Amino acid sequence: MAFKDYITEHGLSLLHPVIRSIFESSSGFSATKAWEDIFTLRRFTRKAAAQFRDHIDVLVVPSTATHWTVKEVDEDPLGRNKILGSFTHFGNLVDLCAVAIPAGTWVNASGSVMPFSITLLAPAGRDEEIMGLAERFMASKE
């Protein structure tokens, strides 16, 4: 409610341009569409929970799909952020806990050495377990 009060009092003009564009582009959504989306998300959350319960102890994914410069992100912040989270954004939506850990380096097309990390994902509430796994992984690299 505090955010709604802020927008009512100050409008969108004081927001970061990217955040402002999100709010401006969201006009026209209906309550029906919102409920449909909520039910769809809940269905996917239940499916993810079943997969973890029956088949997965921990899911290991790359933390990001690529690396961009600040200038490149500024050119298309929403599009770039969407790609950066290709392997991880879903975790928040389906109620998973996660930890990203450094896993090495790679050389990009320009010959620059870039960092590489992996993200460990598990059901909500298993934070201590995946933190312990992350610590063991980091210790094995020493």
Side-chain angles (χ1 to χ4, degrees):
M1 193 56 95
F3 194 71
K4 181 181 177 186
D5 293 343
Y6 177 88
I7 296 299
T8 300
E9 184 176 338
H10 302 285
L12 300 176
S13 64
L14 298 177
L15 296 176
H16 185 280
V18 175
I19 304 301
R20 184 174 55 245
S21 73
I22 292 170
F23 277 92
E24 290 170 347
S25 69
S26 67
S27 64
F29 283 97
S30 69
T32 303
K33 176 67 173 138
W35 280 109
E36 288 172 354
D37 290 347
I38 288 169
F39 288 126
T40 299
L41 179 57
R42 287 189 177 153
R43 186 174 69 250
F44 283 120
T45 301
R46 286 191 304 273
K47 285 182 176 188
Q51 288 297 312
F52 275 95
R53 182 188 62 243
D54 299 339
H55 306 290
I56 302 169
D57 293 319
V58 64
L59 183 62
V60 181
V61 297
S63 295
T64 187
T66 191
H67 294 70
W68 282 295
T69 64
V70 172
K71 181 181 177 193
E72 289 171 321
V73 172
D74 285 345
E75 291 169 358
D76 181 15
L78 294 177
R80 299 280 198 258
N81 187 56
K82 182 178 178 182
I83 293 169
L84 284 175
S86 295
F87 300 110
T88 57
H89 279 180
F90 71 91
N92 286 332
L93 295 172
V94 296
D95 200 23
L96 302 177
C97 62
V99 60
I101 52 178
T105 59
W106 62 283
V107 178
N108 70 9
S110 303
S112 298
V113 176
M114 305 299 291
F116 178 76
S117 66
I118 57 174
T119 297
L120 309 177
L121 295 135
R126 291 188 44 204
D127 304 64
E128 280 189 51
E129 288 178 59
I130 64 167
M131 287 299 292
L133 181 58
E135 289 172 351
R136 288 195 307 270
F137 178 84
M138 295 300 296
S140 74
K141 293 179 57 181
E142 294 176 352

